[in-house]
Amino acid sequence: MTIETLFEYFFFGAVAAVNIGVAFHMKKKYPQPYLSTLFYYVLIFSAGNFGVRIVLRILRGLLQLSESQMQAFSGFNFVFVLWPLAIINLYLMIKFVNLMLGKELSRRFSLVYFSAWGVYLAVMAVLLLQHLDTGETVLAGGILMETGDMAGIVIRLYAM
């Protein structure tokens, strides 16, 4: 690990800490429901983008994995750690916008949202396990990745 990498980790960790601190201060000073949601959004966003990714990079370097083990490690982290954080983060962003506008998210929306993403993650997990078992690249995996990205964009636009 180089000095530049360590400096980068420290810098982004400091930025994340400042973001979390400001959001927490706003939540405490102005007790509005949307500011609480904003705090949780910033916390999960910062933890996911700065904390989890950095820890996973460090672990990947320390474990000295073979190429196939590296693929498995990256795939599992992506499907079981990073995507779920992104899904929760997107939900919190939608909830924040709705609360700012004085509207509550319906239970139906939450149920459909998490059910659809749950099915998506289950299919991605099955495809990942199939890829790790057979070693073959599954065409559906790439299509699902693109579909997941597009679904996130469509959900954001719909929420706005």
Side-chain angles (χ1 to χ4, degrees):
M1 194 172 303
T2 65
I3 296 294
E4 291 84 17
T5 305
L6 289 175
F7 179 75
E8 180 182 315
Y9 291 164
F10 176 76
F11 175 75
F12 285 120
V15 168
V18 168
N19 287 340
I20 293 168
V22 168
F24 182 75
H25 176 71
M26 287 174 55
K27 173 188 159 207
K28 286 296 182 190
K29 188 170 183 176
Y30 309 105
Q32 298 294 322
Y34 66 89
L35 290 176
S36 292
T37 303
L38 176 66
F39 168 70
Y40 295 122
Y41 171 80
V42 169
L43 182 67
I44 291 174
F45 180 82
S46 297
N49 282 326
F50 304 122
V52 171
R53 287 183 187 211
I54 290 170
V55 167
L56 293 177
R57 275 192 209 159
I58 291 171
L59 273 176
R60 200 170 49 204
L62 291 175
L63 293 175
Q64 298 178 358
L65 303 172
S66 69
E67 186 63 34
S68 63
Q69 290 172 326
M70 183 70 78
Q71 275 188 325
F73 183 76
S74 297
F76 274 102
N77 290 328
F78 189 74
V79 172
F80 296 109
V81 178
L82 296 175
W83 260 108
L85 284 175
I87 290 167
I88 292 168
N89 217 8
L90 177 58
Y91 179 79
L92 288 172
M93 183 204 62
I94 294 167
K95 186 174 180 178
F96 167 71
V97 170
N98 278 278
L99 288 173
M100 261 186 65
L101 297 173
K103 299 179 181 188
E104 282 286 328
L105 285 178
S106 69
R107 285 181 181 246
R108 181 175 175 222
F109 173 83
S110 300
L111 180 66
V112 169
Y113 178 85
F114 285 111
S115 297
W117 280 116
V119 168
Y120 174 81
L121 287 177
V123 170
M124 287 297 290
V126 167
L127 290 175
L128 171 67
L129 293 174
Q130 180 183 358
H131 171 69
L132 294 175
D133 188 37
T134 64
E136 296 175 11
T137 303
V138 182
L139 177 63
I143 293 170
L144 274 174
M145 290 296 296
E146 293 297 322
T147 305
D149 290 340
M150 291 305 294
I153 292 168
V154 168
I155 290 169
R156 284 182 187 95
L157 290 174
Y158 175 76
M160 295 299 166

